[in-house]
């Protein structure tokens, strides 16, 4: 989905996946590198890359610091790293374990992930979700691990999800960047 969204926005964007999923959007198949690591891409391809995005990848790495360092070394013309990561270790829950996340991050952790990097954007997002997630954590309540997208035939749920989505976009634009949220968006100039 991310490949399609970035390409629709006019970016020359490609995806890499170590597994072999069926493309969510079949028209993106030519822009997906499946069954391989980004570190295994051909050298000529890697030379053309100026931005790497790790969208919900780094929390699933046992050693994200080495992973980022390897990418900085293998992509000689890399200028930016975009990372979407789960925020706030105090929110770590059974759901994080279920999806294979080793930890959650703070804004300060982002500087450690990308040493020497200069933030272009570094902010918490999904502020609306922080307090309910914190309450569940403090009460030692497990989160539901069976999460599904709304049924496209249920117009009420589709509208409700759209309303929440629109609110979260507005919130990301207007809320102070350091107010805690359940995720972090980080664009670093490296």
């Amino acid at each position: 989905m991310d490949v399609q969204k970035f390409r629709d926005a006019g970016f020359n964007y490609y995806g890499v996946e170590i597994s072999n999923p069926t493309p969510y959007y079949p028209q993106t198949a030519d822009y997906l590198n499946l069954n391989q690591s980004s570190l295994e891409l051909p050298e000529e391809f890697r030379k053309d890359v100026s931005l790497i995005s790790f969208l919900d990848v780094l929390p699933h790495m046992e050693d994200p610091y080495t992973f980022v360092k390897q990418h900085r070394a293998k992509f000689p013309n890399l200028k930016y790293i975009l990372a979407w990561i789960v925020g706030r270790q105090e929110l770590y829950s059974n759901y994080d374990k279920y999806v294979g996340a080793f930890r959650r991050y703070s804004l300060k952790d982002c500087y450690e992930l990308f040493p020497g990097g200069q933030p272009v954007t570094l902010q918490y997002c999904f502020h609306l979700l922080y307090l309910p997630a914190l309450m569940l954590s403090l009460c030692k309540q497990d989160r539901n691990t069976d999460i599904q997208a709304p049924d496209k035939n249920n117009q009420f749920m589709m509208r409700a999800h759209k309303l929440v989505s629109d609110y979260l976009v507005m919130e990301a634009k207007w809320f102070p960047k350091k107010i805690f949220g359940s995720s972090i968006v980080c664009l670093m100039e490296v």
Side-chain angles (χ1 to χ4, degrees), residues 91-183:
L91 301 182
Y92 191 84
S93 71
N94 66 301
Y95 185 78
D96 295 290
K97 290 177 190 172
Y98 176 76
V99 298
F102 289 96
R103 61 171 291 198
R104 288 176 162 261
Y105 294 82
S106 69
L107 298 182
K108 180 179 176 264
D109 294 328
C110 292
Y111 287 99
E112 294 170 14
L113 275 170
F114 312 107
Q118 296 298 314
V120 176
T121 297
L122 180 57
Q123 70 181 70
Y124 287 109
C125 49
F126 298 160
H127 308 284
L128 178 71
L129 305 177
Y130 178 78
L131 283 177
L134 181 62
M135 298 313 297
L136 284 174
S137 179
L138 292 174
C139 293
K140 307 289 188 219
Q141 289 289 313
D142 283 348
R143 285 182 52 191
N144 183 359
T145 57
D146 184 28
I147 299 173
Q148 298 176 8
D151 180 355
K152 291 181 182 178
N153 296 319
N154 183 334
Q155 289 304 306
F156 173 77
M157 288 306 293
M158 292 297 290
R159 286 190 196 112
H161 275 253
K162 172 85 168 91
L163 183 65
V164 171
S165 174
D166 290 346
Y167 169 80
L168 291 171
V169 168
M170 181 275 307
E171 180 188 85
K173 289 180 182 177
W174 297 104
F175 268 50
K177 296 174 183 340
K178 293 185 180 184
I179 291 180
F180 294 169
S182 63
S183 290

Side-chain angles (χ1 to χ4, degrees), residues 24-134:
Y24 192 83
Y25 294 109
Q27 65 269 31
T28 62
D30 291 343
Y31 306 106
L32 299 175
N33 299 282
L34 304 176
N35 284 322
Q36 66 179 305
S37 161
S38 47
L39 297 170
E40 298 167 343
L41 292 168
E43 183 178 359
E44 286 304 310
F45 183 90
R46 286 186 281 111
K47 284 181 180 177
D48 288 339
V49 173
S50 60
L51 178 141
I52 291 179
S53 59
F54 298 123
L55 306 178
D56 197 26
V57 170
L58 298 177
H60 302 276
M61 308 299 297
E62 281 191 74
D63 184 1
Y65 308 98
T66 299
F67 184 74
V68 169
K69 187 177 179 180
Q70 289 170 330
H71 280 80
R72 288 176 86 169
K74 285 274 200 169
F75 291 80
N77 295 312
L78 185 63
K79 294 180 182 150
Y80 300 96
I81 295 177
L82 172 64
W84 186 275
I85 52 181
V86 288
R88 306 304 308 170
Q89 185 63 23
E90 66 271 19
L91 301 182
Y92 191 84
S93 71
N94 66 301
Y95 185 78
D96 295 290
K97 290 177 190 172
Y98 176 76
V99 298
F102 289 96
R103 61 171 291 198
R104 288 176 162 261
Y105 294 82
S106 69
L107 298 182
K108 180 179 176 264
D109 294 328
C110 292
Y111 287 99
E112 294 170 14
L113 275 170
F114 312 107
Q118 296 298 314
V120 176
T121 297
L122 180 57
Q123 70 181 70
Y124 287 109
C125 49
F126 298 160
H127 308 284
L128 178 71
L129 305 177
Y130 178 78
L131 283 177
L134 181 62

Side-chain angles (χ1 to χ4, degrees), residues 4-18:
Q4 183 67 39
K5 289 178 183 181
F6 277 97
R7 292 195 78 80
D8 284 349
F11 294 95
N12 186 20
Y13 194 85
Y14 290 81
V16 179
E17 174 61 50
I18 59 173

